[in-house]
Amino acid sequence: MLDFAFASYQEVCAELGQRLKRQRLAQALTQKDLAERAGVAPGTVKNLEGKGVSSLESTIRIVMALGLVDELAQLFELKAVQSIAQMERAQLAERKRAPSRAKQASKP
C-alpha cells in the first residue's frame, strides 16, 4: 500500500485510480458500464484507472456511481489543532475578510 505522505502527486493519482478500478471490479462492472452510470466517456474511466488522470468532476461522478460518496465526507476537513501556533493560524484564517467598502473609501 502506498504511503501518501512520501508519494509524488503522480503516484497518489495512480494509486487512487487503481483503488477505483478495484472497486469497479469488485462490483463486477465493465469500464463501459461504469462510464454510463457516471455519465462520462469510457475513455475517462480508462484514463483514471490506468494513468490516474481525470478532472475532479469526472472523478467525483465515478466515485458516486460506485456508491463511494461517503468516502469523500471527511476529505480535507480541518484537522484537530496540535499546537497553540497552529490554533492561532487557524483562527486567523477563519477571521480574514475583505475590508468593507466604507473603510476603503474613507482611507486617503
Side-chain angles (χ1 to χ4, degrees):
M1 183 166 242
L2 181 68
D3 185 347
F4 280 36
F6 299 105
S8 68
Y9 79 89
Q10 295 100 331
E11 291 170 325
V12 172
C13 290
E15 176 66 19
L16 293 176
Q18 286 300 303
R19 289 181 184 189
L20 290 172
K21 179 179 181 176
R22 287 192 294 272
Q23 290 287 338
R24 174 182 62 79
L25 293 173
Q27 294 181 33
L29 294 169
T30 65
Q31 287 181 339
K32 184 179 178 187
D33 292 337
L34 179 55
E36 288 174 6
R37 282 187 183 188
V40 299
T44 300
V45 175
K46 182 178 179 179
N47 284 333
L48 179 57
E49 291 181 355
K51 302 175 190 173
V53 176
S54 173
S55 71
L56 180 59
E57 179 183 346
S58 294
T59 301
I60 290 172
R61 285 173 170 261
I62 290 167
V63 168
M64 292 176 81
L66 289 169
L68 302 172
V69 74
D70 289 341
E71 300 291 326
L72 300 174
Q74 294 181 348
L75 200 59
F76 311 122
E77 280 189 351
L78 187 59
K79 304 268 188 221
V81 181
Q82 297 177 352
S83 72
I84 292 173
Q86 288 176 322
M87 188 182 329
E88 288 171 347
R89 283 194 301 270
Q91 219 171 19
L92 285 174
E94 289 178 7
R95 290 185 182 178
K96 286 187 179 178
R97 294 186 181 140
S100 69
R101 291 185 182 176
K103 285 183 182 180
Q104 287 177 344
S106 66
K107 287 187 179 181

